[in-house]
Amino acid sequence: MAGKPKLHYFNARGRMEPIRWLLAAAGVEFEEQFLERPEDLEKLRNDGSLMFQQVPMVEIDGMKLAQTRAILNYIAAKYNLYGKDIKERALIDMYSEGIADLNEMTMRFPLCQPDQKDAKMTQIRERTMNRYFPAFEKVLKSHGQHYLVGNRLSKADIHLVELIYQVEEIDPSLLTNFPLLKALKTRISNLPPVKKFLQPGSQRKPPTDPKVSKATREIFKV
C-alpha cells in the first residue's frame, strides 16, 4: 500500500498552498517535510530529488514530482477532479490558468516593499473586480450549475475558492457584487474535507508575514 504523499517546501503558503488545498479537498492525508535551512534545500538538490533544482516537490506514487501545475494535474486526474473528457479538461485548464494569474499577484503581495503596497493593492482590486471575478461569475451564470465545469467538482472550483479566500484577506469587500461566486465559496467550504481543512490547526497555512518572508529568502539565498 502506497504511503501518504510527502510535500517538500517551506512552512508557508507560496506555490505549495494550491497543492495542499487540492489534496485536502480530495480527502487525502499528506505529510510535510519543511525546509528550515539552506542546507535542507541543498540536500534535496544534491541527492537528485529536485529535477529542476527547485521546490515545490511532492513524493507520490513512487515519483518525485516537480513543477506546481504538473503536480496539480496529476492529483486532479488521480482523484477525479479533472473532468470527464478532453473538452472539460480544456475548460478546467483555462479557468485554472486564469486563477493562477491572479493568485500570483496575491501570493507576491505580502512580499512587496512598503512603498509599493498601495499600488499593488490597487492593481489587485482592479484585476479582481474588472477581469477575473466577472469572468467566473459569467461562467456560473451561463449554465446555472453548481460548479464551473460539467456540474461536478473539479480542481478549478477548488483553486477559485482558495483564491477568493486570499483576495478577501486583502479586501473583504471584493466579493460583494458576485453572488454566484459567494454561493460557490459557501458550497465548497461546506464540503466535509474542505471544512476540516479550513479549521484552525489544519495544514492550511496562514498569510505570509515579514518573518516568514525573511526566513524563506534565507533558505533560497536571495
Side-chain angles (χ1 to χ4, degrees), residues 67-182:
Q67 298 299 104
T68 304
R69 287 177 176 83
I71 296 166
L72 291 169
N73 289 346
Y74 181 79
I75 293 167
K78 180 178 174 69
Y79 295 105
N80 299 314
L81 296 168
Y82 209 0
K84 71 177 187 298
D85 56 35
I86 191 170
K87 288 185 177 180
E88 288 194 356
R89 287 195 295 275
L91 291 174
I92 290 167
D93 284 340
M94 179 171 68
Y95 300 156
S96 296
E97 289 298 314
I99 293 162
D101 287 346
L102 185 54
N103 183 65
E104 187 76 14
M105 296 172 65
T106 63
M107 181 181 69
R108 292 181 178 276
F109 177 71
L111 309 178
C112 68
Q113 297 300 316
D115 62 344
Q116 299 175 341
K117 279 195 177 291
D118 286 347
K120 292 292 185 184
M121 183 175 286
T122 298
Q123 185 183 41
I124 289 171
R125 284 178 176 144
E126 191 278 328
R127 295 285 174 85
T128 299
M129 295 285 289
N130 298 325
R131 182 180 298 187
Y132 293 103
F133 278 12
F136 292 116
E137 185 83 1
K138 183 178 179 180
V139 170
L140 291 168
K141 186 175 181 180
S142 70
H143 55 49
Q145 297 174 342
H146 288 326
Y147 300 105
L148 288 169
V149 179
N151 204 26
R152 58 184 288 184
L153 181 67
S154 76
K155 76 185 186 87
D157 301 296
I158 298 159
H159 296 332
L160 180 54
V161 170
E162 178 198 0
L163 176 65
I164 289 170
Y165 274 100
Q166 292 182 3
V167 166
E168 286 186 313
E169 290 170 355
I170 295 171
D171 184 345
S173 71
L174 292 178
L175 195 61
T176 301
N177 295 323
F178 302 98
L180 299 180
L181 291 183
K182 279 186 183 178

Side-chain angles (χ1 to χ4, degrees), residues 10-30:
F10 53 93
N11 189 13
R13 287 181 178 176
R15 300 188 188 283
M16 188 64 88
E17 194 68 359
I19 298 168
R20 297 183 184 108
W21 266 83
L22 195 58
L23 285 168
V28 179
E29 295 183 358
F30 57 89

